[in-house]
Amino acid sequence: MQPIHGEHPYIFVDGVYLKRSWGGEVQNVSVLVAIGVNAEGYREILGVAEGSREDKESWSNFFRYLKDRGLKGVKLVISDKASGLVDVLGDFFPAAQWQRCVVHWYRNAFNKCPYKHVKTVAAMLKAIHA
């Protein structure tokens, strides 16, 4: 377990679901990922860990793992709106703000939009964010 050096004012966190074959049985597993932006502006992979789900317990264990390795200086956490994640952020990063990931927000908006209008809506959203 390598220590995390320096401050990381910005961290991006997400859970990715993968299939794993274990003892002849295929299971879905959640892999929790954190990418930090250090004080010099460079991105670093801070941690990757298996979680049972994207729930409070899994995110708490993951954030504890990162903090125990030395993660500090977090000012902004960017993620999707996974309820377990958002619920425990204040326990580990009380001074940090939270921002919903724009990519996840776009995907959620596109799911509500008729397929034939997705390109038009995408162009409008990009113009707004520009």
Side-chain angles (χ1 to χ4, degrees), residues 33-93:
V33 180
I35 298 173
V37 179
N38 66 22
E40 290 79 38
Y42 291 99
R43 290 177 295 215
E44 300 176 23
I45 297 172
L46 299 176
V48 178
E50 183 179 331
S52 59
R53 299 187 312 256
E54 283 191 83
D55 60 2
K56 286 182 183 183
E57 182 181 357
S58 294
W59 282 113
S60 290
N61 291 337
F62 186 59
F63 290 143
R64 190 173 301 109
Y65 159 73
L66 294 174
K67 299 262 311 199
D68 288 349
R69 291 181 42 227
L71 179 60
K72 62 183 177 207
V74 177
K75 295 179 183 176
L76 180 66
V77 178
I78 302 100
S79 71
D80 63 4
K81 201 173 180 183
S83 62
L85 185 154
V86 175
D87 292 343
V88 300
L89 273 178
D91 297 341
F92 294 92
F93 309 108

Side-chain angles (χ1 to χ4, degrees), residues 3-130:
I4 297 173
H5 298 289
E7 293 193 356
H8 292 81
Y10 311 105
I11 61 170
F12 296 85
V13 293
D14 200 5
V16 180
Y17 285 91
L18 303 172
K19 295 199 180 292
R20 172 180 69 188
S21 178
W22 188 262
E25 181 182 337
V26 176
Q27 301 171 335
N28 288 325
V29 294
S30 176
V31 178
L32 308 179
V33 180
I35 298 173
V37 179
N38 66 22
E40 290 79 38
Y42 291 99
R43 290 177 295 215
E44 300 176 23
I45 297 172
L46 299 176
V48 178
E50 183 179 331
S52 59
R53 299 187 312 256
E54 283 191 83
D55 60 2
K56 286 182 183 183
E57 182 181 357
S58 294
W59 282 113
S60 290
N61 291 337
F62 186 59
F63 290 143
R64 190 173 301 109
Y65 159 73
L66 294 174
K67 299 262 311 199
D68 288 349
R69 291 181 42 227
L71 179 60
K72 62 183 177 207
V74 177
K75 295 179 183 176
L76 180 66
V77 178
I78 302 100
S79 71
D80 63 4
K81 201 173 180 183
S83 62
L85 185 154
V86 175
D87 292 343
V88 300
L89 273 178
D91 297 341
F92 294 92
F93 309 108
Q97 298 289 314
W98 172 77
Q99 178 179 311
R100 188 167 182 192
C101 172
V102 174
V103 172
H104 285 92
W105 191 87
Y106 276 17
R107 288 180 189 158
N108 293 147
F110 297 153
N111 286 336
K112 303 292 183 192
C113 178
Y115 180 74
K116 66 182 180 178
H117 298 300
V118 168
K119 285 187 180 181
T120 303
V121 170
M124 291 166 52
L125 289 172
K126 287 178 184 179
I128 291 168
H129 282 101

